[in-house]
Amino acid sequence: MTGAIARADLVDWLLEPQDPAVRAAALQRLLGRSREDPDVVAARTAAMRCDPIASILAAQDPQGWWVRPGPGYSPKYRGTVWQVVFLDQLGADPADERVRRGCEYLLGRCATSSGGFGASGAGADRPSPPSSVAHCLNGNLLRAFLGLGLGDDPRVMAAAEWAAAAVTGSGDVRFYASATCGPHFACGANDRRPCAWGAVKELRGLARIPPGRRSPIVQRAVDEAVAFLLSRDPAVADYPMGWGNTRPSRSWFRLGFPSGYVSDVLQVLETLAEVGHGDDERLDAARAWLLRHRRPDGRWVNEYAYNGKTEVDVEVQGRPSKWVTLRALDVLGAQVA
C-alpha cells in the first residue's frame, strides 16, 4: 500500500504514553510482554488514572452501580453491565477496589436461577429473571468477569456451564421465547434463528477458560460455535437473519471500539484466532477484506465508537483509531509488514 506506515511505526504509534490503556494492550498483544512486565504494569497503572477508565470509575456510586441500582442492563450504554464490560475491554486493574465492587454488585443481580447472566433493565434491585438470558449478554459478561479475575467464582462458572448446555442442547436447560429460545444459538430476537452475534460473544466468553479447565460440555460448545461461525464467510456475514431480512446488518462491516452486543468482521477473526482457528483458509476472504479496509496511511478508522452513548467517549468516530488498529494488527500479524 503506497504511503502506508510500516508495522513498526504503527506499533510505535500504539505505544505512545499519552494513551496508556492502548500502550498496555499493545505491549502484551503485539510484543508478547506478560502482565507482570514492568512496562505493562506501569502502563496499566497510568491507565487507571486517566480517561476513559478514570471517568468511568468516577461515575460509579459508592455501592458499586452506575446510573441507578438494579441489574444494570439499561440505560445502554451507561448502566452497570456496560461499565463492567468496557472496563475489561480497556484493561482495567482487577485488583482496584472500585472494579471489584462493581463486579460484585453486578454478579449479585445479573446471575439468574438458571445459571446464566440475565439482561434486565428494571429499576428494582433484584436478580434478573432466567427468561432474560441471551448469549450476547452472557458471553460479554462471562468474558468480562473472567478477564477481571473472577474465574474461580462459582457464579461465573455456572454461567459458563449454562452457556455450554444451551448451545449444545444438553443437560437441564430451559429455553424461553423471549431470549435464548433453543439450542445452537437460537434467539427470540433473531426470529428464533441462530444468532451469529450471540455466537461470537458466547465464544469470546468461553475462550477465556483455559483449555485444561474446560469441562467436556464447554469444549463441545466451543467446537460448535467455531463450526457455526465458519459455516459462512465472515466477509459476507450472511448468517441466519430473521424477520424477513435478506441482507446482513451493516454493523458487521463497521469496525469499532468498544464493543457492545453487536459484532463486526474483525471480531469474528479475533475470536476464532483466540481459540486456535485463526489460520483457517475459510477466513482468507475476511482477512483480505480487513486489509482493504485500511486507510492509505495504513491505519484503521473507528466507524462504531458509541460517541455520546457511553459514560465517556473512548475515541472519535470516523477518525484513525488506535484500538481498531491494535485489533487489526493483532489478527493480521505478519500480513502487515
Side-chain angles (χ1 to χ4, degrees):
M1 182 179 296
T2 303
I5 301 174
R7 180 185 178 89
D9 293 327
L10 288 172
V11 172
D12 286 344
W13 178 54
L14 300 178
L15 293 176
E16 290 177 342
Q18 62 263 39
D19 295 301
V22 179
R23 174 178 168 81
L27 284 167
Q28 294 175 89
R29 293 165 61 177
L30 301 183
L31 300 184
R33 304 280 191 91
S34 71
R35 289 174 65 93
E36 293 75 30
D37 180 276
D39 290 337
V40 174
V41 172
R44 287 170 63 89
T45 300
M48 297 298 292
R49 297 195 296 260
C50 64
D51 281 345
I53 293 175
S55 285
I56 292 175
L57 292 174
Q60 183 188 42
D61 183 86
Q63 295 183 56
W65 46 265
W66 281 266
V67 182
R68 65 188 183 205
Y73 185 76
S74 65
K76 290 181 181 176
Y77 291 91
R78 288 188 166 93
T80 307
V81 162
W82 305 103
Q83 306 323 304
V84 170
V85 169
F86 295 155
L87 284 169
D88 169 60
Q89 292 178 10
L90 291 164
D93 183 1
D96 185 274
E97 180 183 354
R98 298 162 295 177
V99 175
R100 295 200 311 270
R101 188 186 310 129
C103 288
E104 184 57 39
Y105 183 92
L106 184 57
L107 268 171
R109 290 153 181 83
C110 69
T112 72
S113 58
S114 72
F117 295 135
S120 176
D125 191 4
R126 58 175 180 267
S128 301
S131 59
S132 68
V133 182
H135 288 297
C136 55
L137 178 70
N138 191 74
N140 268 335
L141 286 180
L142 177 61
R143 184 173 180 84
F145 288 136
L146 288 168
L148 293 171
L150 292 161
D152 292 327
D153 191 295
R155 295 165 294 184
V156 175
M157 288 297 95
E161 293 298 322
W162 173 88
V167 170
T168 62
S170 303
D172 184 19
V173 59
R174 180 178 176 183
F175 297 110
Y176 296 86
S178 56
T180 304
C181 57
H184 316 304
F185 304 105
C187 182
N190 196 40
D191 202 13
R192 303 179 67 86
R193 299 183 181 192
C195 177
W197 284 349
V200 174
K201 303 300 182 180
E202 201 72 273
L203 181 56
R204 285 175 63 76
L206 296 175
R208 273 201 168 152
I209 303 173
R213 293 191 60 187
R214 294 174 193 164
S215 67
I217 193 173
V218 165
Q219 187 57 54
R220 283 178 54 198
V222 167
D223 295 341
E224 185 164 323
V226 169
F228 175 50
L229 293 174
L230 288 173
S231 70
R232 299 287 198 277
D233 180 355
V236 179
D238 58 342
Y239 296 102
M241 293 167 275
W243 313 112
N245 289 305
T246 58
R247 295 182 179 181
S249 168
R250 290 181 297 173
S251 296
W252 279 114
F253 311 106
R254 296 171 61 198
L255 304 178
F257 186 89
S259 178
Y261 74 91
V262 305
S263 296
D264 56 34
V265 174
L266 175 51
Q267 194 166 71
V268 177
L269 291 171
E270 288 176 298
T271 306
L272 290 171
E274 191 170 351
V275 292
H277 293 269
D279 294 331
D280 194 293
E281 63 182 11
R282 287 169 288 184
L283 300 177
D284 288 350
R287 285 188 287 265
W289 177 91
L290 181 58
L291 280 166
R292 292 195 304 271
H293 222 63
R294 298 173 76 189
R295 283 165 41 107
D297 65 6
R299 297 169 177 171
W300 280 263
V301 168
N302 194 329
E303 300 169 313
Y304 205 129
Y306 293 94
N307 285 172
K309 298 179 181 180
T310 52
E311 193 61 50
V312 57
D313 288 347
V314 175
E315 292 186 319
V316 179
Q317 184 145 326
R319 298 287 300 276
S321 165
K322 288 187 173 181
W323 283 107
V324 177
T325 300
L326 168 63
R327 295 175 59 208
L329 292 180
D330 191 17
V331 162
L332 292 170
Q335 288 185 261
V336 179

